[in-house]
Amino acid sequence: MEKLETRFGHVDVLPMVTYFMDQLDLFNLFSKYVPSQGGSIADHAQSLCILTANIICDNKPLYKVQEWLRRYSDGLATEPVEPNYFNDDRLARALSALFRSDRHSLLTEASGNAISVHQLVTDQVHSDSTSVTFIGKYDRPEADAVKLKHGHNKDFRPDCKQVVFGLNITADGNVPISFQLYDGNTTDDTTHIPNWNGLRALLGKEDFIYIADCKLNTYKNLTHISGNGGKFITIVPKNFKEYKNFIKYLKQNDVPWENAFNVENSRKKGEFNVYRTYESERTKDGFRVIFVHSSDKQKDDEARRQKKIDKVIVQLEELAPKLNAYHLKTKNEIKAAVRKICNEVKDFIDVRIVTDRRQIKVKVSPGRPGVDSVYKNQWSYTYRIEWNLNERAISEASRVDGIFPLITNTPLMASDVLRKYKNQPFLEKRMYTKKSVLEVAPVFLKKEHRIEAMLFLYFLALMIVSLIERKIRMNMAIEKIEKLPILPQGMNTKKPTWNNIRYFYRDVHLSQILRDGLCIQSVVKGIGVMHEQINRLLEIPEAVYRCLQDGWWQFSPTEQI
């Protein structure tokens, strides 16, 4: 008698991820640069592709990847490679092999594939760095691996060791094209020259615009880029003389600001952030300094200053009744307390310590008070505080609210320089994606060389996620699709993120009917009209989801798409 049974396996976003990984030719690249020894049951390329897909889809630690992979293989009858092969030991060995490989060439080819296949525009590159925090001792540093050390921790965990993760993205879709790992105690200002040199070698040109935060603004960095034919845009730190001199001048004088452009507030309909620019004298090295005034930043600066002033006034009111007792008896003690409270707004609040005195009689003869007791007159001093706002200082400070300066060697108009710099926050979003969506930490690895290899895979995962977001948003704009209802409860989003897409595909699965253990029919369930639209916007062929066969989750050599 025939035995029929039905089995189910997860599908979700894995076919989509596999398709975009194939576009980058990752399996062939891993096979080329991380070859396995002969006779291996599962080669390193398969393991590394599975690890990369796992980071993108669900991000499990090594010892749970095997369990994660089984979700996709349930019910598959003939599989040349079992999910059970990919245990934590095999995956760890693949990471070790990746570390020993020529990762620089591998990264160059993967980025080159991304640029050519997706036609990325590389005329403008944004650079920034963040810290990846690790909890544990890590007290046995490896000679060739990046060193986990204490440094300026951007996760606000100075007690933990870290590595510095530098990232470069294109302005076109905010796609990562290269990265670099540094020891945990590396300062940002020392990373820009080797990073720029690496980008020049990767892109094969020098005239791209290199945009970074204020740590780029050192004489050595700027002259190196400019002297080698490069272009840069960065911000001028507040402690530089160019900024100080302009602020001092602006407090007493007006300058001819030029209107740059307006940007509508994404949270408040009908409100616009107005940008104005003023180009001052060039630096001694011939670089242009462009001062920018932002109406939104002006409001924020005013509100921030007023909040600090209000907080200090409350603290002074709380201090007043505590004077002349305990540790606030002397004038010096009161001065110290006032100075501590008013430190951040000392220019805006004038505080006076007023001395009151009164004459009292003090008994000088011994014994209890009596008819014959002798007294003398003595002055008793008490203190109180009075304060008032320094309206002139507040007025002068308000004249420089909303100001920030840029420095560049580009010939662009001031407004265009500002437009290009304003893309820098999108790099922060990529850092957020790495930390929050792809969950780069915690890393359940003990050996530093495997950590370095794993962070290489995180970079590839971030590149693929960014390409997916770029593709769907670009095609939505071409087809004039304003929003997609893919959020929970059918809510709309104008800019779909990877997290949104991953959530929307959570119920897609493979249903199979087996007769005597052999698959006679397989159907992908959960693909609706909106899923088909998303696949179309991502330019994914229909067969990617409709024609899943036994072992579909495996990676194999493919011709580059």
Side-chain angles (χ1 to χ4, degrees):
M1 183 176 179
E2 294 182 348
K3 181 180 180 182
L4 296 177
E5 57 180 322
T6 304
R7 293 184 181 176
F8 301 93
H10 282 261
V11 172
D12 51 63
V13 290
L14 185 56
M16 179 191 304
V17 171
T18 303
Y19 177 77
F20 274 84
M21 290 176 66
D22 287 343
Q23 286 188 318
L24 302 184
D25 202 25
L26 283 187
F27 185 89
N28 291 335
L29 290 179
F30 283 136
S31 298
K32 176 181 177 181
Y33 290 102
V34 198
S36 299
Q37 297 179 352
S40 298
I41 297 177
D43 54 21
H44 292 324
Q46 188 78 234
S47 298
L48 295 173
C49 283
I50 287 173
L51 274 176
T52 305
N54 172 253
I55 291 171
I56 300 172
C57 296
D58 205 12
N59 193 19
K60 299 292 185 182
L62 292 192
Y63 67 92
K64 288 188 176 182
V65 170
Q66 188 181 58
E67 176 185 335
W68 167 78
L69 202 56
R70 287 199 196 101
R71 300 190 313 169
Y72 300 99
S73 61
D74 286 349
L76 297 179
T78 56
E79 297 184 55
V81 180
E82 295 283 348
N84 292 336
Y85 293 164
F86 300 97
N87 54 40
D88 54 348
D89 289 334
R90 184 177 300 279
L91 298 176
R93 287 194 295 270
L95 288 174
S96 297
L98 175 62
F99 173 79
R100 294 189 297 267
S101 69
D102 184 3
R103 282 172 288 137
H104 176 74
S105 297
L106 197 164
L107 174 63
T108 300
E109 288 200 38
S111 298
N113 290 343
I115 292 171
S116 61
V117 172
H118 292 269
Q119 299 181 345
L120 298 178
V121 179
T122 58
D123 294 339
Q124 181 179 333
V125 179
H126 294 260
S127 177
D128 198 4
S129 65
T130 189
S131 54
V132 181
T133 304
F134 296 87
I135 298 176
K137 290 185 177 180
Y138 293 98
D139 52 0
R140 296 181 181 178
E142 301 176 42
D144 298 331
V146 65
K147 306 296 186 300
L148 275 67
K149 294 186 176 182
H150 292 286
H152 177 66
N153 190 280
K154 297 179 182 179
D155 296 324
F156 306 103
R157 288 299 304 270
D159 57 313
C160 296
K161 291 185 177 181
Q162 65 179 28
V163 296
V164 176
F165 185 96
L167 185 64
N168 300 301
I169 69 169
T170 63
D172 178 13
N174 315 308
V175 178
I177 56 172
S178 71
F179 85 110
Q180 185 63 49
L181 291 180
Y182 304 96
D183 293 345
N185 60 351
T186 305
T187 55
D188 290 350
D189 59 313
T190 63
T191 64
H192 286 293
I193 290 179
N195 185 53
W196 185 84
N197 290 337
L199 283 171
R200 177 174 60 172
L202 172 65
L203 301 177
K205 59 183 180 180
E206 299 87 15
D207 59 349
F208 62 91
I209 301 176
Y210 184 73
I211 303 174
D213 61 13
C214 63
K215 297 299 177 62
L216 172 62
N217 194 353
T218 67
Y219 174 80
K220 184 177 180 180
N221 291 338
L222 300 188
T223 53
H224 176 84
I225 295 174
S226 180
N228 287 279
K231 303 297 181 183
F232 63 81
I233 299 174
T234 185
I235 196 164
V236 180
K238 290 185 177 181
N239 60 345
F240 275 42
K241 66 178 182 180
E242 292 89 355
Y243 179 82
K244 289 182 177 180
N245 292 341
F246 180 77
I247 292 300
K248 184 178 179 180
Y249 177 83
L250 189 59
K251 286 183 177 180
Q252 305 295 334
N253 304 275
D254 294 325
V255 296
W257 293 101
E258 294 184 2
N259 290 329
F261 53 86
N262 302 341
V263 178
E264 186 174 9
N265 192 314
S266 59
R267 297 182 179 180
K268 299 179 181 178
K269 298 294 183 181
E271 292 190 13
F272 290 85
N273 186 6
V274 180
Y275 289 101
R276 299 183 296 166
T277 61
Y278 169 77
E279 187 164 350
S280 64
E281 296 181 358
R282 293 181 176 240
T283 66
K284 62 180 182 180
D285 301 307
F287 302 141
R288 299 165 60 198
V289 179
I290 300 171
F291 287 89
V292 180
H293 178 272
S294 164
S295 60
D296 277 2
K297 187 175 185 300
Q298 179 181 8
K299 296 176 184 177
D300 291 342
D301 290 345
E302 290 176 351
R304 191 178 300 111
R305 180 176 58 250
Q306 189 60 47
K307 183 178 180 180
K308 290 180 179 179
I309 291 174
D310 293 341
K311 180 180 177 181
V312 167
I313 290 176
V314 170
Q315 292 177 332
L316 290 175
E317 290 174 346
E318 293 175 350
L319 178 68
K322 299 177 182 179
L323 303 183
N324 306 303
Y326 299 106
H327 59 284
L328 294 173
K329 290 182 180 180
T330 67
K331 194 170 186 178
N332 287 336
E333 290 174 336
I334 297 172
K335 280 184 179 179
V338 170
R339 191 181 305 115
K340 183 177 180 180
I341 292 174
C342 300
N343 183 49
E344 292 189 11
V345 293
K346 57 186 177 182
D347 295 332
F348 307 131
I349 296 183
D350 296 326
V351 182
R352 299 182 304 279
I353 301 176
V354 181
T355 303
D356 295 324
R357 68 173 188 171
R358 63 187 179 89
Q359 197 174 57
I360 60 174
K361 289 184 177 182
V362 179
K363 182 175 177 296
V364 295
S365 58
R368 293 184 178 182
V371 177
D372 299 326
S373 296
V374 179
Y375 294 86
K376 70 173 183 180
N377 291 328
Q378 184 173 314
W379 291 105
S380 173
Y381 297 93
T382 57
Y383 304 97
R384 55 188 172 87
I385 54 175
E386 296 178 352
W387 61 85
N388 62 282
L389 297 181
N390 187 335
E391 299 293 349
R392 179 179 177 181
I394 294 175
S395 176
E396 289 182 352
S398 65
R399 291 178 61 87
V400 298
D401 286 339
I403 304 294
F404 63 94
L406 301 175
I407 185 169
T408 183
N409 66 339
T410 65
L412 300 171
M413 294 178 59
S415 58
D416 292 332
V417 172
L418 174 59
R419 285 183 187 276
K420 293 186 178 299
Y421 180 78
K422 290 302 291 180
N423 284 330
Q424 188 71 4
F426 291 108
L427 180 52
E428 300 292 339
K429 292 295 291 182
R430 286 290 168 246
M431 296 296 192
Y432 169 82
T433 301
K434 177 175 70 70
K435 290 188 175 184
S436 299
V437 179
L438 301 183
E439 298 177 343
V440 70
V443 175
F444 298 97
L445 295 170
K446 295 182 179 179
K447 296 184 178 180
E448 293 179 352
H449 75 274
R450 289 177 179 170
I451 290 174
E452 186 169 342
M454 180 62 84
L455 290 177
F456 182 91
L457 298 183
Y458 268 100
F459 166 77
L460 293 178
L462 187 60
M463 176 190 288
I464 293 166
V465 166
S466 303
L467 289 171
I468 292 173
E469 291 183 357
R470 172 184 178 271
K471 179 68 72 175
I472 192 170
R473 295 177 185 181
M474 182 177 66
N475 285 331
M476 283 176 64
I478 292 174
E479 298 186 18
K480 297 182 180 179
I481 299 174
E482 185 178 353
K483 49 194 175 182
L484 294 174
I486 62 174
L487 298 183
Q489 299 180 356
M491 292 186 293
N492 292 303
T493 176
K494 293 182 178 180
K495 294 182 177 180
T497 66
W498 172 245
N499 215 22
N500 303 149
I501 297 172
R502 187 170 62 178
Y503 173 83
F504 191 66
Y505 277 71
R506 69 194 184 282
D507 293 329
V508 179
H509 63 279
L510 180 65
S511 174
Q512 290 188 313
I513 299 176
L514 288 83
R515 176 191 294 160
D516 296 332
L518 296 177
C519 179
I520 60 174
Q521 184 179 6
S522 61
V523 180
V524 177
K525 299 286 188 178
I527 293 289
V529 175
M530 185 53 60
H531 294 90
E532 293 176 349
Q533 183 176 6
I534 292 173
N535 289 345
R536 181 176 55 79
L537 291 172
L538 290 172
E539 300 178 11
I540 297 175
E542 185 177 352
V544 169
Y545 268 91
R546 293 297 185 186
C547 302
L548 298 182
Q549 302 297 325
D550 290 353
W552 67 268
W553 54 271
Q554 300 171 29
F555 293 85
S556 59
T558 56
E559 295 183 5
Q560 191 170 349
I561 298 176

